[in-house]
Amino acid sequence: MLAAIGQLTSAMEQALEAARTLTSRLAKIAQTSTRIMERTDFKFLLDQERKVFTIGYSVGEGRHDNSFLRLAGV
């Protein structure tokens, strides 16, 4: 019985460490994603006249695709 409790305790400690590692990795991913988003200029995707956000952009053709996302509250 004590051996089983010891094994369970060990497994829980390993799970805790794995959860801490995962939490740390996810926090780093969130920070990186935020940094990328804050440094990216999305203005070229906004059609001010139509008040829509272009979902796609054709680099080869140098123009917006015909897919749009309407801006809520604008």
Side-chain angles (χ1 to χ4, degrees):
M1 179 73 166
L2 288 176
I5 292 173
Q7 289 175 339
L8 180 58
T9 300
S10 177
M12 290 176 67
E13 289 170 348
Q14 290 175 1
L16 177 60
E17 185 57 36
R20 285 181 176 149
T21 299
L22 179 59
T23 299
S24 175
R25 291 177 62 200
L26 290 173
K28 289 176 185 175
I29 291 170
Q31 289 171 350
T32 300
S33 298
T34 298
R35 235 182 358 264
I36 290 169
M37 191 266 320
E38 289 173 345
R39 294 178 181 175
T40 302
D41 182 6
F42 293 99
K43 291 177 190 167
F44 76 100
L45 294 175
L46 179 63
D47 184 332
Q48 286 282 356
E49 186 177 305
R50 295 172 60 193
K51 301 291 187 204
V52 293
F53 188 74
T54 306
I55 295 173
Y57 185 83
S58 174
V59 175
E61 296 179 24
R63 65 175 183 81
H64 296 132
D65 288 342
N66 288 324
S67 300
F68 300 96
L69 178 65
R70 205 170 51 163
L71 301 174
V74 178

